[in-house]
């Protein structure tokens, strides 16, 4: 079983790639609701920022974990909604 640092790094890379893929998908899509939705694109950027920047931006461990979990949930939810 890999240690916590490796699992965290893999999760960040995976969700970072998911966030980038969602941004590319929604920006290159049709000009309809998802393609031109400013709030959806802002939510993707926020989720990506929470996942990737929580370690360096937040000093307290509990808040850092909450921010990362919110980022993961945000990107996973938008990804699931995109597929469905």
């Amino acid at each position: 079983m890999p240690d916590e640092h490796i699992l965290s790094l893999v999760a960040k890379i995976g969700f970072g790639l998911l966030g980038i893929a969602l941004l590319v998908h929604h920006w290159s899509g049709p000009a309809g609701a998802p393609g031109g939705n400013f709030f959806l694109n802002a939510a993707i950027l926020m989720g990506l920022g929470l996942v990737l920047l929580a370690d360096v931006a937040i000093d307290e461990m509990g808040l850092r974990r909450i921010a990362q979990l919110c980022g993961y949930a945000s990107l996973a939810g938008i990804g699931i909604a995109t597929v469905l």
Side-chain angles (χ1 to χ4, degrees):
M1 179 92 182
D3 65 348
E4 185 178 334
H5 179 69
I6 298 294
L7 290 175
S8 175
L9 187 62
V10 168
K12 284 182 195 175
I13 290 171
F15 278 92
L17 291 174
L18 174 64
I20 291 169
L22 287 170
L23 280 173
V24 168
H25 173 74
H26 287 292
W27 275 94
S28 63
N37 191 336
F38 172 77
F39 297 107
L40 179 62
N41 292 323
I44 294 171
L45 286 172
M46 181 194 68
L48 190 59
L50 285 173
V51 166
L52 298 178
L53 298 176
D55 279 338
V56 294
I58 301 174
D59 290 335
E60 187 176 334
M61 181 59 91
L63 290 176
R64 181 183 307 155
R65 292 290 179 208
I66 291 171
Q68 284 179 337
L69 289 176
C70 288
Y72 293 146
S74 169
L75 290 175
I78 294 170
I80 291 168
T82 299
V83 171
L84 299 177

